[in-house]
Amino acid sequence: MTQSPFKDGLFEGKVVFVAGGTSGINLGIAKRFAELGAKVAVLGRNPEKAANAAAEIGHDAIGLTADVRDYGAIVGAMTQARDTFGPLDVVVSGAAGNFLAPVLGMSANAFKTVVDIDLLGTFNVFRGCHGLLSPNASLIAITAGQAVNPMQLQAHACAAKAGINQLVRVLALEWGPNVRVNGISPGPIEGTEGMARLAPDASTKQKHFDRIAMKRWGFIDEIAEGAVFLCSDAAKYVTGTILDIDGGSSLGDATQRQIDKGLA
Ligand code: HXC
Ligand code: NAP
C-alpha cells in the first residue's frame, strides 16, 4: 500500500455506500474508507461475492444485492444501508459492464446493456440516494478516460462514461452547496477485471502500456486514495470535477491513435 497522507480515524463514524463495491477498484475504495473508520455497505448482483466482500472488509461492513438498472431495487438497498448504519455520508457509483466489440458486432441490446449498467445505473444510484444522505455528503462516480478519448470496440462504454461525466457536472450544479458530486477517471489498473477485458492479450496490453506517461500500471489503492481525498475536507471546495488518476495515460491519446490504429 502506498504511504498514505490520510490519518487513521478520518472517516470514523461516517457511512459509505459503494455500488459495484464487491470486487476490483470499488472494493479497494470500500476497504480504504473502512480502514479510516467508516461503516461500509457494498453492493453487487451476486450475493456470494457481496457476502465475501463484506467479510473481507471486516467489522461494520455489509454486503447487499441489487441490480443498479432496477431503480426500486437500488433504492431499497441504499435504504437498508441507511437503516443499518445511519444517513449516507459518501456514495460511490462504480458498477460497470464491458466487453470488446465493434459497433457492427453489437446488437442494440448489447449497447443498451452497458449504457444501462454504467450511465442509467449511476443516475439511479445518485437520484435514489438523495433523500438518504447526511448533510454535506459527497458523491463519487467512477468514469474512465474513454469518456473523453474515443476507443475502438468501446462505443457503448465511451458513450456511457461520457454521459456519466456530464451527469456529475449537472448534479454538482443542482445539488450544491450541500452535496458535492465528483468523478474519478482511473487509468489502466493492475489486476482488475476491466483490464482483463480491455487488454486480453500481451500485444494489446503493450499498446495500453505505451500510452502511460508514468510507464507503469496503476494500483487499486491509488484510486482509493483519490476517493478519500475527494470526500475529505481537503476537497471541500471541489465539486463537479473529474479527477484523472491515470498516470497521464490519456494525455497522448490523439497522437497515439494515429500510430496504433487497430488497437485490440
Ligand atoms: C457482443 C455481447 C458480448 C460481446 C454480451 N453481449 N457480450 N455482444 N460481444 N462480447 C450482448 C449479449 O449478446 C446481449 O445482447 C447483451 O450484450 C446483454 O448480454 P447479457 O449477458 O444478457 O447481459 P448481462 O447478464 O446483463 O451482463 C452484462 C455484461 C457482463 C456487461 C454483458 O459482461 C457483465 O455482467 N459484466 C460485469 C463485469 C464487468 O464487465 N466488469 C468490467 C468493468 S470494466 P443480445 O442482443 O444477444 O440480447 C470497465 C473498464 C472501463 O468498465 C474502461 C473503459 C470504459
Ligand atoms: P469489476 O471488478 O468488474 O467490478 C464491477 C463491480 O460492479 C462488481 O462489484 C460487480 O458485481 C458490480 N456490477 C456489475 N454490474 C452490476 C449491476 N448491473 N448491478 C449492480 N452491480 C453490478 O470492475 P473493475 O475493473 O474493478 O472496474 C471498476 C470501475 O472502474 C468501473 O466503473 C470501471 O468502468 C472503472 N474503470 C476501471 C478501469 C480498470 O483498469 N479496471 C479503468 C477505468 C475505469 P456483480 O458482478 O456481482 O454484479
Side-chain angles (χ1 to χ4, degrees):
M1 158 71 202
T2 322
Q3 190 70 29
S4 174
F6 299 110
K7 297 255 184 326
D8 287 354
L10 186 65
F11 281 84
E12 197 67 51
K14 301 287 185 191
V15 180
V16 176
F17 181 93
V18 185
T22 62
S23 63
I25 293 171
N26 306 315
L27 175 56
I29 292 172
K31 279 182 177 166
R32 188 68 190 117
F33 278 108
E35 281 168 9
L36 293 169
K39 299 166 198 163
V40 176
V42 289
L43 173 133
R45 289 163 302 175
N46 181 317
E48 202 180 321
K49 261 175 82 175
N52 290 341
E56 202 177 318
I57 296 166
H59 185 60
D60 273 344
I62 53 170
L64 301 171
T65 310
D67 192 314
V68 293
R69 291 168 283 191
D70 180 340
Y71 185 75
I74 184 69
V75 172
M78 292 191 291
T79 303
Q80 194 181 332
R82 192 274 314 269
D83 292 347
T84 306
F85 291 139
L88 311 180
D89 297 289
V90 171
V91 175
V92 179
S93 175
N98 206 339
F99 47 82
L100 291 173
V103 167
L104 295 180
M106 67 173 81
S107 65
N109 189 47
F111 183 84
K112 179 178 185 297
T113 295
V114 171
V115 171
D116 280 359
I117 298 172
D118 293 26
L119 177 55
L120 178 64
T122 297
F123 172 86
N124 287 343
V125 169
F126 287 173
R127 167 78 175 77
C129 77
H130 189 265
L132 304 168
L133 298 174
S134 68
N136 305 119
S138 186
L139 313 187
I140 303 279
I142 308 300
T143 179
Q146 285 83 349
V148 178
N149 295 301
M151 180 179 170
Q152 293 176 67
L153 314 182
Q154 286 286 280
H156 45 16
C158 289
K161 296 294 194 184
I164 288 174
N165 286 13
Q166 282 297 63
L167 182 61
V168 161
R169 296 175 184 121
V170 171
L171 286 181
L173 282 172
E174 289 192 4
W175 290 355
N178 296 324
V179 181
R180 293 190 297 108
V181 189
N182 291 292
I184 290 179
S185 177
I189 303 302
E190 186 74 55
T192 58
E193 182 63 28
M195 276 317 286
R197 288 180 185 227
L198 254 55
D201 55 61
S203 104
T204 315
K205 218 175 167 198
Q206 187 61 45
K207 284 173 181 162
H208 280 278
F209 188 86
D210 290 343
R211 295 171 175 218
I212 307 173
M214 299 292 288
K215 291 297 163 230
R216 66 170 177 81
W217 302 101
F219 298 112
I220 287 175
D221 67 275
E222 292 171 326
I223 307 303
E225 290 293 290
V228 168
F229 162 70
L230 283 175
C231 298
S232 74
D233 278 354
K236 68 184 179 199
Y237 201 50
V238 180
T239 195
T241 196
I242 306 293
L243 177 61
D244 292 328
I245 308 179
D246 67 354
S249 60
S250 56
L251 297 174
D253 265 10
T255 318
Q256 192 68 34
R257 259 197 317 281
Q258 319 272 329
I259 299 165
D260 62 20
K261 245 182 151 195
L263 177 71

